[in-house]
C-alpha cells in the first residue's frame, strides 16, 4: 500500500498526467460529437458511433503511461527510487498498477462522456445500453485503456528514453498492426492475433452495438475470439511484456 501511495503521489503531483487526461477527454468528446451530430443515412447514431474516437484518446493515455516511466529515467529519480526500494520488481509493479488505475478511470470517463453527449445530441435515437454488447462497447474502453497503459509502461521501462518510447508506442499502435495485413498470404492470419486488433474485439464484438443496420464507422476486429477471451488475451500480452521489462530492469543499471 505504501508503494502504491508513493507512486500515486509521484504521478499526480506533475502536470503532464493532468494535461494528457484533459487532452484525451477533449479529443474523444470532440470527435464523438462531430460523428454523432452528423449521423444519418448510412451511418446511424448508435452506441458504437459514440465510441468512434476511443482510439485517439487511448493513444494519449499511452503517452501518459510512457512518460510516467521515462521522465523518471530522464531526471534520475528512478535511481533514487531503486535506492530507496531495493526490490525493483515491487517498485515497477506498483508504478504499473497506479498508471493502469489512472488509465482505467480516464478511459471510463471519456467513454461515458462520449456516450452521454450522444444521448444529448440525438435523444430521438436508440442509444440505450440494452445489451451486454452495448455495455462492453462503452464500459470496455476503460479496461482496454488500462491494459494499453501497462504495455506503454513496459515499453518505457525497456527503452527508458521519452522520445524513443513514445515514438515506438504510437507507431506500433497507429500503424504497424494495420501494415501487417499487407504481408502476402499470411498477413491476415497474423493480424488476427495482433494485440490491439484483439483488444478492439473487446469493445466492438461482432458489431451488435452498431444497431439493427449492423453498419460501423470503423472496421470490426478480425479476431475470432469472443470479447471476454479477447480481453484475457490482451491482458496476458500486457502481463508478459511487463514481466520482460521488469526482468530487464533488474539486470541492468538504473
Amino acid at each position: 500500500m505504501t508503494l502504491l501511495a508513493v507512486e500515486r503521489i509521484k504521478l499526480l503531483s506533475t502536470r503532464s498526467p493532468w494535461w494528457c487526461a484533459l487532452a484525451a477527454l477533449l479529443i474523444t468528446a470532440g470527435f464523438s460529437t462531430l460523428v454523432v451530430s452528423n449521423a444519418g443515412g448510412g451511418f446511424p447514431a448508435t452506441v458504437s458511433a459514440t465510441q468512434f474516437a476511443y482510439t485517439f484518446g487511448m493513444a494519449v493515455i499511452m503517452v501518459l503511461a510512457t512518460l510516467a516511466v521515462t521522465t523518471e529515467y530522464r531526471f534520475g529519480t528512478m535511481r533514487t527510487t531503486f535506492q530507496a526500494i531495493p526490490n525493483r520488481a515491487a517498485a515497477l509493479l506498483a508504478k504499473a498498477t497506479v498508471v493502469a488505475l489512472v488509465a482505467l478511470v480516464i478511459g471510463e470517463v471519456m467513454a461515458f462522456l462520449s456516450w452521454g453527449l450522444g444521448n444529448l445530441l440525438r435523444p430521438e435515437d436508440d442509444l440505450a445500453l440494452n445489451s451486454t454488447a452495448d455495455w462492453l462497447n462503452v464500459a470496455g474502453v476503460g479496461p482496454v485503456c488500462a491494459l494499453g497503459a501497462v504495455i506503454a509502461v513496459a515499453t518505457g521501462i525497456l527503452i527508458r528514453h521519452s522520445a524513443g518510447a513514445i515514438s515506438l508506442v504510437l507507431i506500433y499502435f497507429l500503424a504497424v498492426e494495420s501494415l501487417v495485413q499487407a504481408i502476402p498470404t499470411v498477413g491476415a492470419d497474423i493480424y488476427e492475433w495482433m494485440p490491439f486488433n484483439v483488444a478492439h474485439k473487446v469493445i466492438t464484438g461482432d458489431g451488435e452495438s452498431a444497431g439493427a443496420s449492423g453498419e460501423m464507422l470503423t472496421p470490426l476486429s478480425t479476431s475470432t475470439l469472443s470479447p471476454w477471451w479477447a480481453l484475457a488475451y490482451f491482458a496476458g500480452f500486457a502481463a508478459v511484456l511487463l514481466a520482460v521489462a521488469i526482468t530487464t530492469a533488474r539486470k541492468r543499471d538504473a
Side-chain angles (χ1 to χ4, degrees):
M1 184 61 69
T2 301
L3 287 179
L4 293 176
V6 169
E7 291 300 332
R8 173 182 57 81
I9 293 170
K10 285 198 294 184
L11 179 65
L12 300 182
S13 61
T14 57
R15 294 181 181 179
S16 60
W18 297 100
W19 282 112
C20 287
L22 179 61
L25 294 176
L26 290 177
I27 289 171
T28 53
F31 275 106
S32 296
T33 297
L34 288 174
V35 169
V36 174
S37 61
N38 288 287
F43 299 110
T46 61
V47 173
S48 175
T50 66
Q51 304 305 312
F52 166 76
Y54 89 89
T55 53
F56 301 122
M58 185 173 171
V60 177
I61 290 172
M62 292 177 73
V63 170
L64 182 161
T66 306
L67 288 174
V69 177
T70 58
T71 301
E72 284 209 58
Y73 279 111
R74 177 186 176 188
F75 291 105
T77 55
M78 188 65 80
R79 186 178 297 108
T80 304
T81 297
F82 289 157
Q83 288 174 345
I85 309 168
N87 187 343
R88 295 186 178 186
L92 294 174
L93 280 173
K95 181 179 291 294
T97 300
V98 170
V99 173
L101 290 174
V102 170
L104 174 67
V105 172
I106 297 173
E108 293 292 6
V109 171
M110 71 184 193
F112 279 96
L113 175 62
S114 297
W115 175 74
L117 288 172
N119 278 279
L120 287 175
L121 292 170
R122 302 297 292 263
E124 69 280 5
D125 292 327
D126 182 17
L127 297 179
L129 304 180
N130 294 319
S131 66
T132 301
D134 291 337
W135 275 102
L136 275 176
N137 205 159
V138 180
V141 172
V144 168
C145 285
L147 293 171
V150 172
I151 292 172
V153 167
T155 305
I157 294 171
L158 290 169
I159 306 298
R160 299 193 292 184
H161 188 274
S162 295
I166 291 173
S167 297
L168 180 60
V169 166
L170 292 183
I171 290 172
Y172 181 86
F173 178 58
L174 298 174
V176 171
E177 288 199 0
S178 297
L179 292 175
V180 166
Q181 299 178 87
I183 299 175
T185 309
V186 298
D189 294 331
I190 295 173
Y191 182 66
E192 284 185 12
W193 297 98
M194 299 298 280
F196 288 101
N197 176 46
V198 175
H200 190 55
K201 184 62 174 281
V202 177
I203 296 173
T204 61
D206 293 319
E208 303 95 329
S209 59
S213 66
E215 297 188 44
M216 300 285 289
L217 288 170
T218 55
L220 293 173
S221 168
T222 61
S223 173
T224 57
L225 298 175
S226 69
W228 294 112
W229 277 112
L231 182 62
Y233 178 90
F234 193 50
F237 179 85
V240 169
L241 187 60
L242 182 62
V244 170
I246 290 175
T247 301
T248 302
R250 294 178 64 184
K251 293 181 178 180
R252 68 187 180 192
D253 293 337

